[in-house]
Amino acid sequence: MKKVFIKTYGCQMNVRDSEAVTALLRERGYGIATTETDADIILLNTCSVRDLAEQRAVGKMNGLAHAKKKAKSGLILGYMGCMAQSRGAELLKSPAVNLVVGTQRFHHIPDYLDQLVAGKKSVVDVADEAGSESAVKHHEPGKVTAFVSIMQGCDMACTFCIVPATRGAERSRGIPEIVEEIHKLVDTGVKEVTLLGQIVTSYGRKKSEFVKLLTAVNAVSGLERIRFTSPHPQGFGDDLVAAYRDLEKLCEHAHLPAQSGSDRILKLMRRGYDRAKYLKIIEKLRAARPGIALTTDIIVGFPGETEEDFAATAELLREVQFDQGYIFKYSKRRDTPAATMPGQLPDAVKEERNQAALEIVNAAALCHNTRLIGETVGILVDGRSTKGAKRMLGRTRTNKIVIFDGYERQAGQLLPIKIERATTVALYGNE
Ligand code: 5AD
């Protein structure tokens, strides 16, 4: 039996795609290797959103190619996902690479591996496929929390972003098939689902469709919690804000990628909102669900970003006091409008602003987390904190990680935990 190892880079959508491919391969009779050295076939599920992610995957593949040449001539190597989609056959330049599969063709990987195992030298498939949004539906067993893909692609035109090119146009699955998938997951013990897509708030092309989906999922009995990612601030209309008030399973956490606090930069990014509109959404969400946790993504060093523009971003971060923030240094992506905009900034400036922004978000995160010391919070226990570790890990409804002394059998349980210690990224407590 040939054993496959999939290494995943990037976002939760990629993690989900890798899981679905793993499940399909298992069904086809392939073994799943737990380590790279144990594998006959290694696939890299790639990310293109920043250059660093691409470099990591290419570096990894070069290492694997070297090992193949030296000692493992039978090793089958492949790229899948976003970088495979945007670079295509070019990736076969390395003779060690056998397979390149794009973002709409994952479900054909078992067929392609069969062909490669039978002796075919290489396969490249980065075609579009109508209906591919419904192909990512296979799950691995034994989970407490599951990702459910509800759509693929993105029709937005943010000037920095490569995703519309790598994931194609927006295509949504129907509500009944998503709800059916969730029912099945709940039957296997799943307690929490995260609805996934590149832009979930555009689900069904109309905002209210997404709220209809949330309402339908909220009605699934046995399910305890609903999350979703990634949304666009523009999608937070009054109906979605009301859902935070009305749907008891929808967790009190919203990820609202601001990207910048400067109106001038937001316009250049073509984000479709300004600072005032963004802050209004925050205000409405906090009113609808007091205590809601808010997180964000920020890009620093976008072309033409002045000290004044960055100061506006820093000010936004201080004003909102996010529970967590992810700061990214602007990375030039091929064929995006921002790549050729004037005022590209040197890395030193990006790095300086990255550090400054991080300091603000870390201070706010620590402040939010420290406030919970001495409180008893409700968590859903996910499993061991890391593979083989003694301590267990769960999450609050606000999506904060809680690490505590517990037992494997508690996985899937909702438990009260008293918090004793806090860092910027996690809470620690005892049962
Ligand atoms: N450079 C830096 N960060 C980027 N992101 C998307 N494109 C780029 C880019 N070209 C960030 C955005 C997005 C997150 C997933 O990645 O902040 O929300």
Side-chain angles (χ1 to χ4, degrees), residues 305-330:
E305 186 186 70
T306 61
E307 284 296 338
E308 205 181 355
D309 292 318
F310 176 67
T313 298
E315 186 46 40
L316 180 86
L317 293 174
R318 274 189 214 101
E319 187 173 338
V320 178
Q321 292 285 299
F322 290 99
D323 287 76
Q324 196 58 263
Y326 305 92
I327 317 290
F328 304 106
K329 293 190 280 182
Y330 170 70

Side-chain angles (χ1 to χ4, degrees), residues 49-50 160-161 257 259 297-299 328-331 333:
V49 107
R50 283 170 294 278
F160 51 81
C161 190
Q259 312 298 4
D297 290 346
I298 296 286
I299 297 177
F328 304 106
K329 293 190 280 182
Y330 170 70
S331 170
R333 307 288 53 220

Side-chain angles (χ1 to χ4, degrees), residues 1-7 18-19 21-43 75-76 109-110 113-114 117 140:
M1 183 173 61
K2 295 283 183 197
K3 282 190 180 170
V4 186
F5 184 82
I6 305 182
K7 183 167 172 63
S18 292
E19 185 202 8
V21 172
T22 302
L24 280 174
L25 287 170
R26 224 189 261 282
E27 229 170 71
R28 186 64 67 90
Y30 285 88
I32 306 303
T34 46
T35 64
E36 233 171 83
T37 41
D38 201 26
D40 309 293
I41 300 163
I42 301 176
L43 303 177
L75 192 63
I76 293 173
I109 287 177
L113 288 184
D114 284 353
V117 168
E140 288 281 85

